[in-house]
């Protein structure tokens, strides 16, 4: 006589607590476990799939694609990670966050299918998202790679179109400590006889070799397509098929135009399957907003949220801040990072464009301590430019009290840093006049 099944969680919060306990490691690379459970679930992926990998810009690229196809009238699913405030942000169905009911049902389906197979938190969530998408009769699904590409859970899906936004140093303990090693891992999302796009103007040779070995005609920014942006932030996209004028973006930064170029190429390449009118493409791009990607959260003084957490993203952030502070305004930083990230590399890039650093710990097991943050900043920032606080809301409140109306406050260093600010209300940090 078989033993009864254990009682399953009934709320999203209980499910998330449960799936955190399923595997001894937070990250374990490999596809065998995920593929085995996907087979048991009989996942068929009956929709067009675009997979997006890369070091930075994945979330923005996914958001652009989602916006364009939704504007064109298609039924769209989108899976991204990590979330900022609530888990539901990871799974969107036709522009809406997944409901508690659908998410719990999806977790139940995966739990019943996995049986003895141990899945990580991300693997369980990925399978739940894919299962949920299959219940919705969607036209297109956009998948963001969690880490790397070749061995990431989303790579059990053979994407119809794969985009690598860029390749730089991050997650080196898993992917390797050079762009060549990391490029090989990122290129793992490409497939034979499918659309392969690279938005890095100078991709590592390993990525090019991977595509060549597959026999896939890789389409590259600056080679097969390009985008030119005027001083008025209007853009002209160009590829072998012709030119397309694009209006302005809500997303700030030159790198967002590079992301947009890869997105446009992908949409154009999929026209035979999913036709999109040029006006819908322009409108979808123009409407795209992404939380925490150089996002203005408050004005006068400006409070800007940015999840930049590696040197590649820090260089883009420095460029943006240089543009904004050209009027002589000061820049205050609310800053914290995880201890396994390249904190000194980020500080080296940004210390000259930030006038004051206000640091505090992230509430996370891998958080860098205040002492370690101070150590990383000490040789690059004078004592008067560095203040420590008990928590991130207190750091923001201190900056807000000091800043003049034309100054800038940049909150950055991690998804968790931005999340800590998004979870508070303005009354907690804006001091009364």
């Amino acid at each position: 006589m078989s033993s009864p099944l254990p009682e399953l969680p009934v709320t999203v919060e209980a499910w998330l607590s449960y799936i955190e306990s399923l595997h001894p490691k937070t990250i374990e690379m490999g596809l065998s476990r995920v593929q085995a459970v996907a087979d048991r679930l009989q996942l068929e992926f009956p929709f067009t799939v675009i997979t997006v990998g890369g070091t930075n810009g994945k979330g923005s690229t996914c958001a652009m694609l989602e916006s364009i196809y939704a504007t064109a009238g298609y039924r769209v699913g989108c899976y991204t990670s990590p979330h900022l405030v609530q888990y539901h942000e990871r799974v969107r169905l036709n522009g809406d966050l997944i409901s508690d009911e659908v998410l719990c049902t999806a977790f139940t389906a995966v739990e019943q299918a996995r049986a003895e197979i141990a899945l990580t938190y991300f693997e369980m969530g990925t399978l739940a998202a894919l299962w949920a998408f299959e219940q919705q009769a969607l036209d297109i699904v956009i998948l963001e790679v969690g880490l790397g590409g070749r061995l990431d859970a989303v790579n059990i899906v053979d994407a119809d179109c794969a985009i690598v936004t860029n390749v730089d140093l991050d997650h080196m303990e898993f992917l390797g400590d050079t762009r060549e090693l990391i490029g090989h891992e990122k290129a793992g999302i490409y497939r034979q006889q499918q659309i392969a796009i690279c938005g890095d103007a100078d991709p590592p040779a390993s990525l090019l070799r991977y595509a060549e070995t597959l026999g896939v005609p890789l389409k590259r920014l600056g080679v097969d397509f390009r985008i030119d942006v005027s001083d008025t932030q209007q853009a002209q996209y160009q590829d072998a098929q012709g030119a397309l004028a694009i209006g302005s973006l809500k997303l700030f930064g030159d790198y967002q135009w590079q992301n947009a170029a890869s997105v446009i190429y992908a949409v154009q390449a999929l026209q035979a399957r999913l036709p999109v009118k040029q006006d819908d493409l322009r409108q979808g791009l123009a409407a795209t907003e992404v939380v925490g990607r150089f996002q203005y959260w408050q004005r006068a003084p400006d409070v800007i949220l940015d999840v930049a957490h590696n040197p590649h993203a820090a260089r883009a952030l420095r460029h943006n801040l240089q543009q904004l502070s050209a009027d002589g305004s000061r820049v205050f930083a609310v800053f914290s990072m995880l201890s396994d990230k390249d904190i000194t590399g980020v500080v080296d890039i940004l210390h000259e464009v930030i006038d004051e650093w206000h640091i505090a710990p992230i509430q996370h097991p891998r958080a860098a301590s205040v002492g370690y943050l101070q150590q990383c900043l000490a040789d690059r920032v004078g004592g008067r430019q560095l203040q420590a606080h008990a928590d991130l809301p207190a750091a923001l409140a201190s900056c807000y009290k000091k800043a003049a109306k034309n100054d800038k406050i940049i909150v950055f260093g991690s998804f968790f840093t931005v999340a800590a600010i998004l979870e508070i209300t303005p009354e907690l940090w804006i001091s009364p006049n």
Side-chain angles (χ1 to χ4, degrees):
M1 185 174 178
S2 60
S3 59
L5 289 173
E7 186 174 334
L8 296 177
V10 295
T11 66
V12 172
E13 292 73 18
W15 267 112
L16 295 178
S17 178
Y18 173 70
I19 66 176
E20 283 179 343
S21 69
L22 290 180
H23 198 285
K25 295 182 180 179
T26 304
I27 298 169
E28 183 173 353
M29 308 297 283
L31 300 181
S32 59
R33 298 179 310 281
V34 185
Q35 187 64 66
V37 180
D39 291 342
R40 293 178 183 179
L41 287 165
Q42 298 182 311
L43 297 181
E44 297 178 350
F45 316 120
F47 30 66
T48 298
V49 176
I50 302 177
T51 297
V52 180
T55 302
N56 293 302
K58 297 186 295 292
S60 299
T61 299
C62 289
M64 291 179 192
L65 288 163
E66 182 184 20
S67 180
I68 289 168
Y69 282 110
T71 301
Y74 291 107
R75 295 164 296 178
V76 186
C78 189
Y79 175 58
T80 61
S81 64
H83 62 277
L84 283 166
V85 177
Q86 60 175 145
Y87 186 91
H88 306 63
E89 298 165 29
R90 296 182 180 224
V91 188
R92 295 190 294 276
L93 299 165
N94 294 312
D96 297 324
L97 302 187
I98 192 170
S99 68
D100 283 6
E101 180 183 2
V102 175
L103 186 54
C104 287
T105 303
F107 281 140
T108 300
V110 177
E111 173 65 10
Q112 291 174 340
R114 76 170 185 86
E116 79 290 353
I117 299 175
L119 296 175
T120 68
Y121 181 94
F122 182 76
E123 290 168 346
M124 188 86 172
T126 300
L127 287 166
L130 294 172
W131 185 90
F133 290 150
E134 291 211 1
Q135 316 310 307
Q136 302 296 317
L138 300 173
D139 299 305
I140 183 167
V141 164
I142 300 149
L143 303 175
E144 178 185 352
V145 170
L147 193 157
R150 185 175 63 91
L151 299 177
D152 186 82
V154 304
N155 205 32
I156 63 168
V157 185
D158 291 329
D160 302 282
C161 173
I163 301 171
V164 174
T165 57
N166 47 63
V167 179
D168 213 286
L169 302 180
D170 199 11
H171 299 294
M172 291 180 285
E173 67 274 32
F174 298 103
L175 305 179
D177 57 1
T178 67
R179 286 186 78 234
E180 291 298 325
L181 290 171
I182 294 172
H184 176 80
E185 296 298 321
K186 302 288 186 189
I189 63 174
Y190 294 144
R191 293 293 191 274
Q192 287 182 324
Q193 300 180 329
Q194 303 292 9
I195 301 162
I197 300 168
C198 181
D200 194 318
D202 182 27
S206 59
L207 183 142
L208 302 179
R209 283 196 303 272
Y210 196 107
E212 184 179 0
T213 301
L214 285 179
V216 63
L218 182 65
K219 303 303 181 182
R220 296 169 52 189
L221 175 67
V223 177
D224 301 285
F225 60 95
R226 59 180 294 169
I227 196 161
D228 298 306
V229 186
S230 70
D231 293 338
T232 59
Q233 289 298 292
Q234 303 293 307
Q236 185 86 356
Y237 169 86
Q238 179 81 45
D239 62 24
Q241 306 305 312
L244 178 64
I246 304 296
S248 59
L249 299 178
K250 286 185 179 179
L251 298 173
F252 189 88
D254 293 345
Y255 59 94
Q256 296 292 10
W257 285 111
Q258 296 166 9
N259 294 332
S262 294
V263 165
I264 295 168
Y265 190 92
V267 172
Q268 303 283 56
L270 288 168
Q271 281 286 6
R273 185 179 305 191
L274 296 170
V276 174
K277 296 177 182 177
Q278 289 189 356
D279 284 346
D280 289 336
L281 193 155
R282 292 189 188 94
Q283 184 180 336
L285 278 177
T288 304
E289 295 184 273
V290 189
V291 176
R293 275 66 165 188
F294 210 81
Q295 175 197 8
Y296 280 80
W297 195 54
Q298 171 76 20
R299 294 283 188 172
D302 294 341
V303 178
I304 302 166
L305 310 180
D306 198 297
V307 296
H309 57 275
N310 54 46
H312 184 268
R315 288 190 289 272
L317 177 56
R318 179 182 63 189
H319 180 71
N320 287 348
L321 292 175
Q322 285 172 327
Q323 288 183 297
L324 292 182
S325 60
D327 59 0
S329 59
R330 293 183 300 168
V331 176
F332 296 80
V334 175
F335 175 68
S336 195
M337 289 182 68
L338 298 179
S339 60
D340 54 1
K341 296 296 181 180
D342 185 2
I343 299 175
T344 55
V346 168
V347 171
D348 281 340
I349 291 165
L350 284 161
H351 73 93
E352 291 182 350
V353 297
I354 292 174
D355 297 287
E356 282 192 24
W357 295 75
H358 292 252
I359 61 174
I362 297 170
Q363 300 304 310
H364 189 277
R366 289 168 27 230
S369 67
V370 168
Y372 184 59
L373 291 171
Q374 288 175 317
Q375 180 182 333
C376 293
L377 283 157
D379 294 336
R380 299 158 183 84
V381 177
R384 293 181 180 179
Q385 295 175 284
L386 175 61
Q387 295 185 32
H389 303 271
D391 55 44
L392 289 160
L396 177 57
S398 178
C399 292
Y400 198 84
K401 289 176 183 178
K402 290 185 170 189
K405 285 193 174 182
N406 67 327
D407 288 338
K408 315 295 184 292
I409 302 171
I410 178 70
V411 179
F412 79 103
S414 171
F415 279 85
F416 300 104
T417 308
V418 170
I421 301 305
L422 288 172
E423 289 173 343
I424 63 174
T425 60
E427 290 76 17
L428 296 178
W429 56 271
I430 296 180
S431 56
N433 293 325

